[in-house]
Amino acid sequence: MRIIKVETFILHVPITPPITDAINAASHWGVTGVRIFTDENITGYGYTGTCAKGDEMIVDTIDRYYAPLLIGKDPFMVKQLWDEMRYGAMHWIGRAGVTHMAQAAVDIALWDIMAKASNQPLWKYLGGHKSEKIKAYNTNGGWLNWTKDRLIKDMTEILEQGFTAVKMKVGRTDPREDFDRVQAVRRAIGDDVGLMIDVNQQWNITTAMTWGKKLEQFDLMWLEEPLNPDDIMNHRRLADELNVPIALGEHVYTKYAFRDYIHQGAVEYVQVDVTRVAGVTEWLQVASLAAAYDLPVCPHVGDMGQIHQHLVAATPNAILLEYIPWIRHIFVEPATVVDGYYVLPQLPGASTEMIPRYFEQYRVR
Ligand code: MG
């Protein structure tokens, strides 16, 4: 099999109503990536996820630097192609960031092709571990711009749908408001529901130590991204001193950075994201690294769960997957949660193929 054409795309899928966390505001989700066509009539779809900003830099990287080295190549040589992209012309300016997200889109499309050619869903092609379902937790009721009333209303509805774990955003200017909102949600959902809070890097170490300790009383499943993601040392201090596990990974780009976090005991839930770490190829390496330290993997879903459901199903130490339903309707086989569990996909591939009507409707380039 040979690659004969590489075509990039940018889709902006509306988020209704728009949401905020402590550092992002989004009215659309950017589904930015690539279709890779082969001479055997199999087409791979891969994408990364954005807040609908910076997408053009991602597709420019693919168009100018990655596409030319893919044409004529065998997509099954994915690991060799990964190295060629990683250590090629873009290495000087991009060991992380835009280039890694662009490479993720390409890598995911290649894995989609391989699974389709093998007539298997990606999770089986990788070697299945969970054959029926994956436990999900829901983030979509806990945005920072929600009023307290809306938080409680949405959380209650999510529980009625069968979810048993929910996440809410914190990191407001006054941490006393965070405390008040977490307290209100815990009271509303009861003690049996898993509750995670996500700071989105908004705190410094002093705030995190002070308010992390105060929030312990709400029996949190984890405290997510409390600090700047480059600050491994202070995450380690928090992990040592708080009685709340630390979760992070959605802004960690490489296996080397994960190695340092993991080896130093600075992370307890590894949230490695396939759209961030240059694709399936490096995601699997990070998950194996975490396994060697007996750490659970609970991916952040920059892909909104389409690809990660496969990776979790194929990974023994992956135990839980985030759920946000913003873009699922655009896919041929949408990620589907029933009674709080992802139902595993059955079609060949990585569940990345889009319905042509939506592909055209949301396409901005
Ligand atoms: Mg997060």
Side-chain angles (χ1 to χ4, degrees):
M1 187 187 291
R2 297 289 156 191
I3 295 168
I4 56 171
K5 189 168 78 166
V6 176
E7 181 188 277
T8 54
F9 59 80
I10 300 172
L11 313 186
H12 284 174
V13 183
I15 300 169
T16 312
I19 62 90
T20 71
D21 61 35
I23 52 170
N24 301 295
S27 62
H28 293 74
W29 195 243
V31 180
T32 300
V34 65
R35 289 193 290 188
I36 298 181
F37 300 82
T38 66
D39 62 357
E40 293 188 16
N41 213 22
I42 292 172
T43 303
Y45 286 67
Y47 62 92
T48 189
T50 74
C51 296
K53 297 175 194 76
D55 309 273
E56 66 286 348
M57 299 167 74
I58 293 169
V59 295
D60 276 353
T61 300
I62 298 171
D63 287 335
R64 292 171 193 267
Y65 296 100
Y66 297 161
L69 62 82
L70 294 168
I71 299 296
K73 299 286 177 56
D74 177 356
F76 278 82
M77 293 303 292
V78 59
K79 294 173 186 173
Q80 184 182 68
L81 293 169
W82 196 96
D83 277 355
E84 288 178 13
M85 288 186 278
R86 179 82 166 92
Y87 300 105
M90 292 305 279
H91 190 253
W92 181 266
I93 67 161
R95 291 183 301 102
V98 170
T99 53
H100 244 208
M101 297 181 80
Q103 191 172 335
V106 173
D107 179 273
I108 289 162
L110 296 175
W111 283 93
D112 184 41
I113 290 170
M114 291 189 291
K116 282 174 174 165
S118 308
N119 206 32
Q120 295 287 349
L122 180 60
W123 63 272
K124 274 192 184 172
Y125 179 70
L126 290 169
H129 179 262
K130 301 163 185 70
S131 60
E132 289 179 4
K133 54 189 187 176
I134 300 165
K135 187 172 164 67
Y137 76 87
N138 196 317
T139 296
N140 203 35
W143 301 107
L144 200 64
N145 56 330
W146 272 206
T147 63
K148 202 161 75 178
D149 286 347
R150 173 143 199 191
L151 267 182
I152 289 166
K153 175 175 171 289
D154 281 13
M155 293 294 192
T156 306
E157 285 175 7
I158 284 168
L159 299 185
E160 285 167 2
Q161 292 163 20
F163 287 91
T164 56
V166 291
K167 189 164 83 185
M168 64 179 288
K169 301 292 183 176
V170 296
R172 290 170 87 91
T173 309
D174 183 347
R176 288 175 297 186
E177 287 183 39
D178 290 329
F179 185 93
D180 182 49
R181 288 159 65 88
V182 174
Q183 183 173 53
V185 168
R186 177 49 94 194
R187 280 183 182 152
I189 65 178
D191 292 337
D192 294 336
V193 174
L195 176 61
M196 306 85 151
I197 63 171
D198 186 355
V199 188
N200 290 99
Q201 311 168 25
Q202 193 61 19
W203 289 345
N204 60 27
I205 181 64
T206 308
T207 308
M209 206 62 90
T210 304
W211 288 92
K213 284 205 168 85
K214 288 182 196 287
L215 290 162
E216 282 174 357
Q217 63 186 282
F218 300 119
D219 191 22
L220 302 173
M221 187 168 169
W222 70 55
L223 172 65
E224 180 169 325
E225 275 203 313
L227 308 171
N228 184 301
D230 291 325
D231 189 355
I232 299 176
M233 181 189 77
N234 276 322
H235 280 101
R236 165 67 194 268
R237 288 178 60 196
L238 287 179
D240 283 348
E241 299 204 20
L242 296 182
N243 282 319
V244 183
I246 303 297
L248 57 82
E250 68 181 87
H251 282 268
V252 178
Y253 281 94
T254 68
K255 59 178 174 278
Y256 300 102
F258 274 107
R259 177 201 63 190
D260 291 346
Y261 262 112
I262 290 170
H263 187 65
Q264 293 184 39
V267 60
E268 287 146 299
Y269 287 94
V270 178
Q271 296 180 303
V272 55
D273 185 333
V274 69
T275 68
R276 191 71 76 173
V277 294
V280 174
T281 300
E282 183 133 322
W283 191 98
L284 295 171
Q285 294 173 10
V286 174
S288 295
L289 173 70
Y293 283 79
D294 259 341
L295 290 180
V297 170
C298 304
H300 170 258
V301 292
D303 69 319
M304 301 297 137
Q306 290 292 136
I307 309 153
H308 282 108
Q309 58 185 334
H310 292 270
L311 303 182
V312 169
T315 302
N317 57 318
I319 59 168
L320 184 63
L321 185 58
E322 186 171 25
Y323 179 73
I324 304 175
W326 292 337
I327 64 170
R328 58 183 299 281
H329 62 285
I330 75 172
F331 292 98
V332 172
E333 191 177 27
T336 300
V337 170
V338 176
D339 289 334
Y341 287 84
Y342 276 87
V343 180
L344 292 184
Q346 298 301 321
L347 293 180
S351 303
T352 48
E353 187 159 337
M354 294 135 192
I355 298 168
R357 176 164 65 93
Y358 289 113
F359 189 80
E360 296 310 325
Q361 180 180 340
Y362 296 130
R363 192 168 185 177
V364 297
R365 172 166 153 181

